[in-house]
Amino acid sequence: MGFLIGISGSIIVDQGGRFPGYKRAYVNNDYIESTALSGGVPFILPVLKEEEMIKAQAESIDGLILSGGQDVNPLLYGEEPTTKTGSPFLARDQSEQLLLKHVIDQGKPVLAICRGLQILNVAYGGTLYQDMSDIKESFIKHDQYNNTSDPSHSIMIKDGTRLHDLYGNQALINSFHHQAIKDVAPGFEVSAWAKDGVIEAIEKQGEQFVVGVQWHPEMMAKEHISMLNLFKLFMEHVQQSARKKVSI
């Protein structure tokens, strides 16, 4: 049997058609395809309120992918929302924070993508820039308008990190974000940044695989083996983690 990979989902509301206002649980299909291509069995995890159900979600999977989406509510990291922050989705923020902590407490691997990186950082005590314009030193375009699978800028990667083992000193990534990490959460280290200093990846210190990236590797994985390899690295750690639990 394959290893079960939970992918955090969101809710989309129909704006027209036969059922305007109708709510649907969903995740972009690139996450499903990238998980399957790397050898995992993808499962969409819907937004939930009840912690016991969220804990059961965490217990049922072998690894977690935190997907992208809405801005994280600034109130969660002690700031008032500015006019540049998008509409929050507090129920998702709360659901994913609990899901993250249960998965990490259970020693399971996590790959957090874009918003996923941001909620990971906030869940463990970090903060965010609410808009890229708040970073005076930033000069790179971090929200590309060309093809989603095309790389748009480079990143520099810290020696001794999991990403460095995979990519070496530099990599080319796509970019679709208007927020970024400000203060890194305790227990995490920066593993990649853009040439304007914007943080592009963090990793949890220690042996457990918990990696957050600001870009969207799932959008590039079909055409760029380097990005599929990130999912494969995640799956290697999923397998190792699952085997350790069986042998205990």
Side-chain angles (χ1 to χ4, degrees), residues 26 38 68 75 128 135 169:
Y26 87 106
S38 60
L75 295 175
L128 304 176
I135 309 175
N169 295 325

Side-chain angles (χ1 to χ4, degrees), residues 5 9 38 45-46 50 186 190:
I5 305 302
S38 60
L45 303 178
E50 299 80 5
V190 177

Side-chain angles (χ1 to χ4, degrees), residues 4-232:
L4 306 183
I5 305 302
I7 304 169
S8 66
S10 187
I11 294 174
I12 192 169
V13 181
D14 285 356
Q15 299 301 311
R18 293 186 65 190
F19 306 107
Y22 196 74
K23 295 180 179 179
R24 302 176 188 271
Y26 87 106
V27 70
N28 289 342
N29 202 53
D30 287 341
Y31 293 100
I32 304 296
E33 293 177 338
S34 298
T35 299
L37 284 171
S38 60
V41 180
F43 277 78
I44 300 174
L45 303 178
V47 174
L48 297 174
K49 293 181 180 179
E50 299 80 5
E51 183 166 2
E52 284 304 308
M53 287 189 180
I54 294 169
K55 184 179 179 182
Q57 285 181 327
E59 290 171 346
S60 69
I61 60 176
D62 297 305
L64 172 66
I65 294 175
L66 275 184
S67 63
Q70 301 91 339
D71 290 352
V72 177
N73 194 321
L75 295 175
L76 296 177
Y77 50 91
E79 292 188 12
E80 296 295 328
T82 70
T83 57
K84 300 170 186 174
T85 291
S87 300
F89 186 1
L90 187 57
R92 183 180 179 188
D93 292 341
Q94 294 170 336
S95 180
E96 288 186 344
Q97 285 190 108
L98 287 171
L99 178 63
L100 255 177
K101 290 183 176 180
H102 281 298
V103 168
I104 290 176
D105 286 349
Q106 292 170 26
K108 296 174 181 178
V110 175
L111 177 60
I113 295 173
C114 198
R115 168 200 155 85
L117 161 89
Q118 295 168 5
I119 196 72
L120 170 65
N121 189 59
V122 169
Y124 283 88
T127 65
L128 304 176
Y129 290 104
Q130 293 189 43
D131 189 75
M132 297 300 297
S133 62
D134 297 332
I135 309 175
K136 294 180 181 178
E137 301 81 7
S138 177
F139 61 86
I140 291 173
K141 185 174 180 61
H142 287 271
D143 191 4
Q144 72 187 66
Y145 280 82
N146 47 323
N147 292 334
T148 58
S149 61
D150 290 348
S152 65
H153 70 81
S154 62
I155 55 171
M156 299 176 290
I157 303 173
K158 183 179 178 181
D159 191 15
T161 61
R162 299 186 190 279
L163 289 182
H164 190 273
D165 292 342
L166 194 60
Y167 297 124
N169 295 325
Q170 294 192 52
L172 291 174
I173 62 166
N174 59 7
S175 196
F176 301 95
H177 64 104
H178 84 104
Q179 299 191 321
I181 289 177
K182 183 191 294 183
D183 301 306
V184 179
F188 288 77
E189 66 173 328
V190 177
S191 56
W193 57 96
K195 289 186 178 179
D196 58 3
V198 170
I199 294 171
E200 293 285 349
I202 60 173
E203 300 181 12
K204 187 176 184 294
Q205 296 167 344
E207 293 185 6
Q208 187 178 4
F209 185 97
V210 181
V211 174
V213 299
Q214 185 60 76
W215 67 94
H216 282 271
E218 81 285 358
M219 292 180 176
M220 301 178 72
K222 279 187 178 180
E223 297 185 26
H224 300 271
I225 188 65
S226 62
M227 292 302 154
L228 181 59
N229 284 343
L230 177 56
F231 286 90
K232 288 183 175 180

